[in-house]
Amino acid sequence: IALVGIAGAASAHVSVSSTDAAQGGFGKAVFRVPNESDTASTTKVVVTLPMESPFAFVSAQAKPGWKATIQKEKLAAPTKVGDFELTEAVRTITWTTSGDGIAPSQFDEFAISGGPFPDDESVSFTAEQTYSDGEVVNWDEVQKGDTEPEHPAPTLALAASASDGHDSSKDTDIKASASDDDGDNTAKWLSGGALVVALGALVVALRQNRRRA
């Protein structure tokens, strides 16, 4: 029971995950928000995007019972993001409940879609969670070392971009081409050998005919 309690406490924080987010690409990031209060419901969730690696495009998931609001912010200087030149970027996405929100002992998920994601191994966000009793929890602490902070910032690991990765399809094409070349060479050698044998048989036959004559 103690171990279950420790595991539950360690995992009960706002986290972010994705199945398609890659460096320099577009994808979907899903923020999982558990309700940690025993008596109050979560009524508002604010996700803040990093300004040091702004996104050119961001859209918020529409959720029944929640209103999504996107807030942009002017950049200090024009910033090149992928093929786009940005003077402003999305800074926050806010989901506010129009119903009961996330009840105690429950969780919900909030998603954004966009990009390009930065050319880094990971990207960190911050999240603000507001409860119906007025309590506000900020998930913005950066982990240092092996010890996880009490309110860690949601951090998303990014897959390597397709251009950086090794293209296995090219290897397949090369192997197939090499196999075809080997097959062609083998066929040529077999054809040449058959021709030599045929010529040898023809010479033997001509000699035998001359002896008989």
Side-chain angles (χ1 to χ4, degrees):
I1 295 173
L3 290 175
V4 172
I6 292 172
S11 61
H13 55 68
V14 176
S15 59
V16 60
S17 62
S18 177
T19 59
D20 58 358
Q23 299 172 22
F26 289 76
K28 176 182 177 182
V30 179
F31 295 85
R32 177 170 294 180
V33 181
N35 191 67
E36 293 188 315
S37 174
D38 295 329
T39 58
S41 298
T42 296
T43 57
K44 185 170 70 172
V45 176
V46 182
V47 172
T48 301
L49 278 61
M51 289 304 287
E52 63 273 14
S53 52
F55 288 69
F57 300 96
V58 177
S59 58
Q61 177 191 15
K63 290 177 60 65
W66 296 81
K67 178 184 178 181
T69 304
I70 292 179
Q71 183 69 42
K72 292 186 177 182
E73 186 174 303
K74 187 180 179 67
L75 300 177
T79 303
K80 184 81 169 179
V81 178
D83 297 327
F84 310 98
E85 184 85 14
L86 304 182
T87 57
E88 64 174 10
V90 172
R91 182 59 171 160
T92 62
I93 305 97
T94 302
W95 287 271
T96 306
T97 185
S98 56
D100 297 331
I102 308 173
S105 301
Q106 296 182 3
F107 75 91
D108 205 343
E109 293 181 335
F110 303 81
I112 63 172
S113 178
F117 284 91
D119 292 322
D120 298 314
E121 293 183 354
S122 64
V123 56
S124 292
F125 305 85
T126 62
E128 180 186 278
Q129 183 176 12
T130 301
Y131 288 91
S132 57
D133 60 1
E135 180 186 5
V136 178
V137 179
N138 291 304
W139 302 91
D140 57 0
E141 297 176 355
V142 178
Q143 181 170 336
K144 297 179 180 179
D146 297 330
T147 303
E148 184 178 69
E150 184 177 0
H151 299 104
T155 301
L156 178 64
L158 299 174
S161 64
S163 58
D164 292 339
H166 194 64
D167 192 347
S168 60
S169 62
K170 291 182 179 180
D171 287 342
T172 302
D173 293 341
I174 292 172
K175 290 178 181 178
S177 177
S179 178
D180 291 342
D181 290 342
D182 291 342
D184 291 343
N185 291 334
T186 301
K188 290 176 181 178
W189 280 106
L190 290 175
S191 299
L195 181 59
V196 170
V197 171
L199 290 175
L202 179 60
V203 170
V204 171
L206 290 175
R207 289 180 177 177
Q208 290 179 348
N209 289 336
R210 287 179 181 177
R211 289 176 181 176
R212 291 174 183 174

